Each structure stands twice: as structure tokens, then as C-alpha cells.
Amino acid sequence: MKKAGKFITLLSLGVLLTACNQEEKLKDASPEKYTTEEKTEGNVTYIQVENPNGGAVLGYLKDGGVSLLEVEEDNYTYAFKDMNGNGKLDDWEDWRKDIDTRAKSLAQELTKEEIAGLMLFSSHEREPEKGLTDDQKAYLKDDNLRNVLNAGGNDVEAAVNWNNEMQAYVEELSTGEGKKFIPVNFSSDPRSTAGSDAAYNAEGEDISRWPSNLGLAATFDTDTMLKFAKAASEEYRAMGIATALGPQIELATDPRWLRADGTFGEDTALATDMAKAYVDGSQSSYDADGKDIGWGADSINAMVKHFPGDGMGEGGRESHMNSGKYAVYPGDNFEEHLKPFIDGALNLDGETKEAASVMSSYSVAIDKDGNPLFGVNKGSAYDKDKIDILRKDNGYEGIICTDWTVTSAIDDPDNVLGIGTAWGVEDETVAQRHYEVLLTGVDMFGGNNAIQPVLDAYDIWDEAYEKGDVDVSAEERFQQSGARLVKMMMLPGIFENPYLSLEDSTEIVGSKEKNEDGYQAQLDSIVMLKNSEETIKEADVEKDYKDKVVYIPSSIHHEFKTVFADAKDTADPTMSVDIAEGYFKEVLTDTPIEKDGKVTGFEAPDLKDVDMIVVGMGSPDNGSPFSSAGLKDDTFYPLSLQYGTYKADGDNVRKTSISGDILADGKKENRSYYGETAIISNSYDLEAFKNAKKQSEAIEKETGKKVPVVVVLKAKNPVVVSEFEKDADAIVTGFSVSDQAYFDILLGKQEPKGLLPMQFPADMATVEKQQEDVAHDMESYKDSEGNTYDFGYGLNYEGQISDERTEKYVK
């Protein structure tokens, strides 16, 4: 027993000594510390810092004006960037603190010149491959501009190098007493749309390709929308883009509106749900298990647009140009148009995320009696009652930015763009326009590179304050916007690390998984409108079509002159021959017939061996937002949804417009287009179809062989299909998807599942009868097989689709 007791005592002593030794080792050990790595991308060398314990990743220029500060906490040594060179850790530099605290802290340090620079959002920069230019250096240095619109292509290497060069340059500018490092916030219009003719879409194939917003709406699936938002935000960040100028979430309640393709359609519930999903997916990052971990390196700011809606331009005309500057509300339906913003993207009830920013619309709001809806005949950025819906009525404290060129007028002496949208304030000075925009509660000026008008507006505000015309000083008003502006930059973390690794970015942008998901979304968005005698059915493409011959007719497109490009004609096959050759044994198309250097028609090939005819038809093309569609030589004319000649002389056409300028003699301008004829640039698409149908009938008459004619309707708006439907054996439609996706659907590789996100009208009479601000108010087209092309309509192999999507959204 004594031996055993002695052994236990020694064992206990050994355990005690071991514990003491371990405690001494812990005392001697250094805390876990951040690590640094030098990286070189192009001509920029920067230091990347990995903080311990899940802390922020930092990036700063190796030989720039930013140095590191160290803080020991709970046995860790963390690094922070000293971004104002004062040698101490300020609240705004402390990535551990909440964003609101940091933003307010920095705003208090900013000078009026720095805030004025942050209020600028650059005009379109279209050539990142050129790198940092002298003009860009000038506005970064002299105008303190830090918000840059990347309107270039999807060249990842060019984007990464341009980002790093610009971030390095502004970091170098921060060297010196009183200077502060403020990174560049790059933004982008949509750049992921598959359809090559999609408005505002970036060129280049590096990025994953998805349907347009209207195409995503055609899936009626918020999970697809969420998947797109996640993928796009990751790709944007990998290209240096931290803010998306979108999505368009206004209701496209007039079917003629030129920007319907950028929206989620006309239905309030669908648009609201899609807007929520977009914001949730964009303003998040996700861990390896797919869990939402909040803002992070994959997040982007969503700048939803265009508040309070722009889809009700009179006659469908577009507010980028004078032709469409008035939005009309003949149905007294203004409140409905707020719902996708208030209940969806801004989510001011707090259920999900709140969009970081909003872009205001261009248009002047006019009630059904022709009077300004809120008492002022001015565009949205100048209409305080409109902006107060966000600021006062709903307490929104995010960024509000004007659309581009809102402080410019066509007749301004220095206007070289040929575009100006200062609707209602054209006679005021540029400085006064800036001041009026700030008065409404707006923070940023889209498309403006010059700081001086903002500083002039500061002085005007100060004078008004001294007179008692405004309640707060100019300094206080600027600080208010300053806090919002830096918060928008802090949310995605670009203050911490604005630099990019080309290797990492190349792996992210256009990755296999994203490409596959985007293509699947394209397939899921395509709507089958007609399928006579099971023309489209499940098939083995390799087995069933590799020995077939297809004929693709050609068409002529007379493109409109815009403020940026001259008019031109194109003559091409209506579907991609190269893509079709991957499916068929042989692809036949037309030979152009030319006269005086212009294509006037086509000669069809010998079609005796043809098994199928596929005709691509675009939406009837009325022009672009920059072509003054609906106005020519001071005469207003109708926009049309049919290919054939349309003269607006029916009973439903307004002989006196709702909207109109007040003329010099005090009378109101009449913007009616009664008696005028539409101009459709691709009207030959209908001729191409008719010619193809004649060829099909001739083959059947001569050989007895039935050759189906299939229409691929590449839509951007609803279409009056009565001009060709009864003669088509099958019709599929999509919204900015690839020709490959169309072929996969019409050849039976996947069963169609898309649904119409907008009504397709019976004729132009019902289009004229509908009210610009009201959804679902047209007579929908009923086809030769008894199907009605209403909102939510679509076919699969079994017939009309009826599932949980239609139960939820289709009333």
C-alpha cells in the first residue's frame, strides 16, 4: 500500500509540473499574428494582409501612402490600415466596428471638396484595356471623383489591371498630411445577358451568360433569380465592380416601352419577389456550405432603378430623350408602381435585405388630367415629393443617385454628348440644377465628372441657409450625404482591400459552374407558345437531327440613328448558322441580292432536301432609348408591336395627348400621334417568315413532304403575333437568350417550362386602349389552336403549363 501511495504522489507531482511548464510556455508564446504577402499584378505591387481569427483581408500599395497599425486583443495581433496617416486607429479605419459607426466617423473628417467628389458618378468609361488614362487621373486628382462606371467589355485581365492601376493611383494621392485614402467604387450596367442585342449589355464572352431580367422573370422562379444574383456578384467583384447599376425593378405596364427587357415584367407580385431575390443574392457572401454570411468579398451594392418607375411613358416612349420625358398615369395607379421598391428591393419592412442604393427615374409624372402629379413639371430628381416617399415616408437612408446627365440640357453651351435630361429645369444654371437635386434629398449625380458645379451648389445652399430658406447648413447637408456615400463603399469592403488577383479572378469569372447555371436559366426561361402536331417533342438530338437539313432564311434590319451612332443596314441569317451546324447535317441560308451597294432582298437556295425551316424574328424594333423613338422631325408617331404597317387612326388612339410642354404662347403642346404611321426597322422579319412559308408549301405541293416552319421569337417586348401565328407550326419565344438555347428547346433536348412575363396583345387596338400605368389590361391574343397568350401562359409537351408558379402569380 505504501508503494502504491508513493507512486500516486509522484504521478500527481508530474502532472502538476507538466501543467506549470505548459503555463510558462503560454506566457512566453507570441500572440497569433497577421501575415503579409507581396503580390504583383501588371505594373502594380501591393501587400496583402491576412488577419487572424477570421479578421479582414487587407490590401495596400507597397510603396504608397498607407501604412499598417497593430492592435493586440485576446492573444491575437490584428492589422489595420492607417488611411489618413495620423498614426492612430480611427473608428472609420477599424474593420471590427459596425459600418454606420465607421461611415459617420469618416464623414466628419471629410472636407466639402472630398464629399463633392464622392457625389460624382463618372460618365461611361468604355475601354479598360487602355489602362489608367490621363483624363481619368485628372478627375481622380482634381475633382476627387471616386465612383467610376465601367462600361467596357468582359475582358477579365483588362478589368483587373485597370482596377489595380486606378486603386494604386488614388492610394498614392493619399500620401501627405490631411490626405485620406478613399478607394474607387467601380460600377456597371448589366453585363451578363446572353442576347447580343440586349441594351446596355457588355461585350465579350468571359462572363457567364443568363437571360435578360425579363427572361429571368419568365422562369417565375426566385431560386433561379437568387442563383443569378450570387453568380453575377461574384463575377463583378472579380472584375473590380462593387456596385451594380440595377436591376430595373419598375413595372413595365406599357407593352411598347423600349426598356421592358430590363425589367421583371408588368406583374407587381412577380417583380417584387424577383427584386427581393436579386438584392438578397447580390448583397451577400456565402460560406462553403452555402450559408449567407452577410456582406463580404463577393457582395455588391444593388442600385435599384428607376424610382418611382419609368415604364409608363406616354405611348410607350422612353424618357432618355425629349420624345418620352413624360410618364402618365391615366389609371390613377401611381401607388402600385412603388411596391417593387418599397416592398421588394428596399424591403423597408425589414424582412430581408435593404438595397444599398436607388437610382431615380428621368421622367416627369403627369396625372390623367394632364397636370403634374406632384405639382411640379420636373423630372424625378428635381421632384421633392417623389424623393420624400423614400426619405420621409419610408425612412430610407441609403444612397439615392440621379440617372445619367440629369443636370445637363441639350442647349447647354458645353453639351457635346447630344443628350441632356434636365427635364423641367432646362433654363436654370448647371449649378442651380445641382442645388435643386440636393434639396430633394438625392446624394449623387450620375454621369457627372466635374466637381465645380457641386461646390457651386454648396455656396448656393449656404446663401439659402443664411436667408433662412433651408433648415440645415451646407456643411451639415454634405456630411449627411458623405456618411451615406462612404457607407456604400464600406459595405462591400473595398476600403480594406481594393486590389485584385488575376489568377483568382480568372477562376471566378465565367467558371464552369456559373456557365452551366446561366445556360440552364436560359433554357428554363424559353416559352413555347405554339406546338401544332407535336412539332417540338422530346428527342435525341444526335440520333434524330444529325442527318437532317435545315433552312434558315435571312432578314434585313434598318438600324436607327442614335445620339451615339449613325443609321446602318444589316442583312444576316435570322439564326446563327455556326450554331445550327452543330445540330444538323446541313444548314442552308439565303444569298443576298444587292442594288447600289445595299441588300434589297434574298435568293433562297434549292430546298428540295430540307427537313425543317427555322425563322428567327426579333420583336418589332421601334428603336433604342437613344434614337428619339416616337419623334421624327418634330412629328410624333406611334410605337408598334406589329411588323406590318401600322397607322394610328383607330378609335382608341388619343387625338390629344395627356402630356405636353407648355409652349411660349402659354398653350400646351399636343404630343398625339393620331394619323401617323409607325417605323419598324426589322419589318422584313415578317417577309422572311412569309417567304419561308411559301417555300414550305411549295415543297409539300411538289413532293408531298411536310416541312414544318418553326418561329424563334427573340422578344424584348410583347408582340402582336397574329401576323404569322396561324401559318407557323410551332413558336418559341425567349428574352435575350442564345441561339444555342433556342435550338436545344425546339429540337427536344429539354422540355419547355417558361411562362410569359407580360401579356401578348390581340392587336394594336387593344394596345392603344390599355392605360400606360396599368398592368394586365389588354385583350390577349387567342391563337388558331384556342390558346390565349396571357400573363403566365406557356406550353410544355403535355399542353398548357399549370403548376405552383402559375398558382402563385396568375390570377
Side-chain angles (χ1 to χ4, degrees):
M1 290 294 297
K2 287 182 180 180
K3 287 182 180 179
K6 185 177 180 180
F7 176 76
I8 292 172
T9 301
L10 290 172
L11 181 62
S12 301
L13 181 61
V15 170
L16 179 63
L17 289 171
T18 300
C20 290
N21 288 336
Q22 288 176 341
E23 185 175 349
E24 288 299 318
K25 287 180 179 179
L26 284 173
K27 286 180 180 179
D28 293 339
S30 297
E32 188 174 344
K33 188 176 181 179
Y34 65 87
T35 60
T36 62
E37 180 182 1
E38 183 176 310
K39 291 176 173 283
T40 298
E41 296 291 350
N43 58 7
V44 174
T45 299
Y46 65 98
I47 307 298
Q48 182 167 299
V49 181
E50 298 281 347
N51 270 299
N53 196 32
V57 176
L58 311 181
Y60 66 100
L61 199 60
K62 181 182 178 184
D63 299 315
V66 172
S67 58
L68 288 186
L69 301 169
E70 292 185 359
V71 173
E72 290 191 17
E73 181 182 74
D74 297 332
N75 215 45
Y76 294 102
T77 301
Y78 297 108
F80 302 83
K81 291 163 65 174
D82 184 7
M83 290 180 276
N84 60 4
N86 66 358
K88 66 177 184 178
L89 182 61
D90 298 299
D91 281 348
W92 67 273
E93 297 166 328
D94 190 343
W95 44 259
R96 297 168 301 179
K97 294 188 178 297
D98 67 88
I99 297 293
D100 285 327
T101 298
R102 295 182 65 194
K104 289 176 183 177
S105 169
L106 176 54
Q108 290 169 3
E109 284 192 30
L110 295 175
T111 65
K112 71 176 182 180
E113 290 80 9
E114 288 169 328
I115 294 175
L118 290 174
M119 289 177 171
L120 303 174
F121 220 131
S122 87
S123 54
H124 294 64
E125 294 288 1
R126 303 185 186 278
E127 299 177 303
E129 61 274 8
K130 288 188 174 180
L132 184 61
T133 66
D134 289 340
D135 286 344
Q136 292 160 10
K137 288 179 180 179
Y139 65 55
L140 293 169
K141 181 177 184 290
D142 300 333
D143 299 282
N144 296 322
L145 187 150
R146 291 295 184 274
N147 297 282
V148 176
L149 174 50
N150 179 352
N154 290 310
D155 184 326
V156 178
E157 183 174 2
V160 167
N161 289 336
W162 187 47
N163 171 85
N164 288 350
E165 286 179 17
M166 194 171 285
Q167 302 291 7
Y169 181 72
V170 297
E171 187 171 333
E172 289 170 348
L173 293 177
S174 71
T175 303
E177 186 177 352
K179 298 291 185 69
K180 292 170 281 294
F181 169 65
I182 300 176
V184 173
N185 170 36
F186 287 96
S187 69
S188 176
D189 280 311
R191 54 176 57 242
S192 306
T193 312
S196 60
D197 60 348
Y200 304 99
N201 194 47
E203 296 180 353
E205 298 302 321
D206 292 5
I207 206 164
S208 64
R209 292 296 183 176
W210 301 69
S212 67
N213 283 343
L214 195 58
L216 288 165
T219 69
F220 278 59
D221 182 15
T222 52
D223 287 341
T224 298
M225 182 75 249
L226 184 65
K227 188 176 289 187
F228 163 72
K230 290 179 182 179
S233 62
E234 290 176 14
E235 290 180 312
Y236 277 31
R237 287 303 299 275
M239 297 175 72
I241 297 163
T243 298
L245 301 184
Q248 284 181 250
I249 63 171
E250 66 250 79
L251 302 176
T253 47
D254 191 287
R256 297 162 292 189
W257 187 42
L258 300 179
R259 298 193 70 182
D261 197 38
T263 74
F264 299 128
E266 65 181 317
D267 186 72
T268 303
L270 181 59
T272 298
D273 286 352
M274 287 291 183
K276 278 186 178 181
Y278 181 97
V279 172
D280 282 355
S282 299
Q283 297 188 169
S284 301
S285 288
Y286 298 85
D287 64 17
D289 297 322
K291 181 183 177 182
D292 185 345
I293 57 175
W295 286 93
D298 295 330
S299 308
I300 57 173
N301 300 298
M303 184 176 284
V304 295
K305 58 188 185 183
H306 305 86
F307 184 85
D310 222 10
M312 67 299 295
E314 186 163 18
R317 297 188 294 264
E318 221 294 304
S319 59
H320 275 78
M321 308 298 287
N322 174 58
S323 56
K325 68 181 178 183
Y326 291 106
V328 295
Y329 294 87
D332 288 330
N333 205 33
F334 177 81
E335 296 293 328
E336 190 73 14
H337 289 262
L338 299 178
K339 292 178 181 178
F341 292 93
I342 305 304
D343 300 335
L346 301 185
N347 187 42
L348 297 177
D349 59 7
E351 289 182 6
T352 51
K353 293 181 174 65
E354 175 184 296
S357 52
V358 181
M359 186 185 294
S360 61
S361 67
Y362 284 126
S363 52
V364 181
I366 302 295
D367 69 19
K368 64 181 179 181
D369 298 318
N371 301 312
L373 194 63
F374 293 104
V376 294
N377 202 42
K378 299 178 181 180
S380 295
Y382 298 96
D383 193 333
K384 192 173 189 307
D385 285 341
K386 280 186 183 178
I387 303 303
D388 276 352
I389 294 170
L390 291 176
R391 292 292 192 217
K392 289 189 175 180
D393 298 349
N394 290 284
Y396 180 65
E397 279 300 318
I399 290 291
I400 303 179
C401 181
T402 74
D403 209 329
W404 265 230
T405 71
V406 160
T407 57
S408 297
I410 289 292
D411 294 332
D412 287 350
D414 58 349
N415 189 327
V416 295
L417 289 176
I419 181 173
T421 52
W423 306 135
V425 292
E426 292 92 338
D427 294 334
E428 296 180 1
T429 66
V430 174
Q432 184 69 23
R433 293 173 199 156
H434 282 75
Y435 167 68
E436 284 204 31
V437 168
L438 292 174
L439 271 179
T440 67
V442 171
D443 305 292
M444 300 186 77
F445 303 96
N448 292 18
N449 290 11
I451 194 174
Q452 192 57 52
V454 187
L455 296 177
D456 292 341
Y458 184 100
D459 293 338
I460 295 173
W461 191 295
D462 245 357
E463 292 173 10
Y465 181 64
E466 291 296 325
K467 293 177 184 177
D469 294 339
V470 293
D471 296 332
V472 300
S473 67
E475 180 181 20
E476 186 176 348
R477 175 64 185 87
F478 267 48
Q479 291 249 331
Q480 184 182 52
S481 282
R484 294 172 183 151
L485 290 159
V486 294
K487 179 180 179 179
M488 184 173 70
M489 293 179 169
M490 287 176 173
L491 286 169
I494 57 175
F495 269 91
E496 274 60 66
N497 184 21
Y499 296 103
L500 299 174
S501 159
L502 179 58
E503 181 180 359
D504 293 343
S505 294
T506 302
E507 290 180 1
I508 293 169
V509 181
S511 68
K512 183 175 183 292
E513 180 183 10
K514 291 181 178 64
N515 282 329
E516 290 174 351
D517 287 343
Y519 187 67
Q520 186 61 53
Q522 292 182 51
L523 294 173
D524 293 346
S525 72
I526 294 174
V527 185
M528 185 160 67
L529 297 176
K530 183 179 181 181
N531 191 25
S532 180
E533 299 180 1
E534 297 184 344
T535 299
I536 298 173
K537 56 184 178 294
E538 184 178 5
D540 183 329
V541 175
E542 290 291 328
K543 178 181 177 183
D544 297 330
Y545 290 98
K546 275 297 184 181
D547 62 344
K548 305 295 184 185
V549 177
V550 67
Y551 166 52
I552 299 173
S554 295
S555 184
I556 301 169
H557 192 173
H558 304 288
E559 295 184 13
F560 290 93
K561 175 181 172 59
T562 72
V563 295
F564 303 118
D566 290 332
K568 66 176 182 179
D569 290 352
T570 58
D572 298 294
T574 59
M575 299 289 290
S576 168
V577 171
D578 289 343
I579 291 174
E581 286 175 343
Y583 293 88
F584 298 94
K585 179 181 73 173
E586 187 177 4
V587 179
L588 303 177
T589 192
D590 299 325
T591 301
I593 300 171
E594 293 189 14
K595 183 178 181 181
D596 299 327
K598 287 190 174 184
V599 176
T600 59
F602 300 95
E603 181 181 349
D606 183 351
L607 300 178
K608 66 178 184 298
D609 295 325
V610 163
D611 299 294
M612 176 184 286
I613 298 174
V614 180
V615 186
M617 302 176 70
S619 285
D621 190 351
N622 293 276
S624 80
F626 301 102
S627 67
S628 292
L631 178 62
K632 183 178 182 181
D633 299 330
D634 297 323
T635 298
F636 287 90
Y637 64 87
L639 306 186
S640 175
L641 300 181
Q642 67 184 42
Y643 300 93
T645 300
Y646 172 63
K647 185 175 182 179
D649 56 3
D651 294 340
N652 296 327
V653 181
R654 293 184 191 122
K655 294 182 179 179
T656 302
S657 62
I658 295 174
S659 65
D661 295 344
I662 304 302
L663 305 176
D665 60 5
K667 294 181 180 179
K668 185 176 177 180
E669 173 193 30
N670 186 7
R671 293 181 160 228
S672 170
Y673 47 77
Y674 184 84
E676 300 297 330
T677 302
I679 305 170
I680 301 298
S681 69
N682 63 331
S683 59
Y684 197 95
D685 283 6
L686 183 60
E687 293 302 310
F689 171 80
K690 289 179 177 179
N691 292 337
K693 182 63 178 178
K694 289 177 183 177
Q695 297 284 353
S696 172
E697 291 172 342
I699 294 170
E700 185 171 11
K701 183 177 180 180
E702 182 177 342
T703 67
K705 179 182 178 182
K706 167 72 172 174
V707 178
V709 180
V710 177
V711 170
V712 171
L713 185 57
K714 303 177 181 183
K716 293 192 284 189
N717 293 79
V719 177
V720 175
V721 298
S722 58
E723 295 173 297
F724 61 86
E725 176 273 319
K726 63 182 176 59
D727 291 325
D729 294 288
I731 306 171
V732 297
T733 188
F735 305 90
S736 295
V737 302
S738 65
D739 281 7
Q740 182 177 344
Y742 283 123
F743 277 118
D744 276 350
I745 290 293
L746 66 90
L747 299 184
K749 194 170 185 178
Q750 175 178 303
E751 185 171 18
K753 59 189 299 186
L755 305 169
L756 286 181
M758 298 181 73
Q759 292 179 307
F760 273 36
D763 49 37
M764 282 304 297
T766 192
V767 173
E768 296 289 6
K769 186 178 181 180
Q770 61 91 36
Q771 296 174 307
E772 284 92 338
D773 60 327
V774 178
H776 308 307
D777 64 339
M778 293 191 296
E779 178 190 350
S780 297
Y781 178 72
K782 187 172 183 178
D783 73 10
S784 57
E785 300 195 338
N787 293 314
T788 302
Y789 295 5
D790 207 344
F791 171 78
Y793 166 76
L795 298 174
N796 58 21
Y797 298 149
E798 301 299 320
Q800 185 167 343
I801 296 170
S802 178
D803 56 23
E804 65 277 3
R805 299 172 300 161
T806 58
E807 290 173 8
K808 181 176 182 180
Y809 294 109
V810 181
K811 308 298 186 293

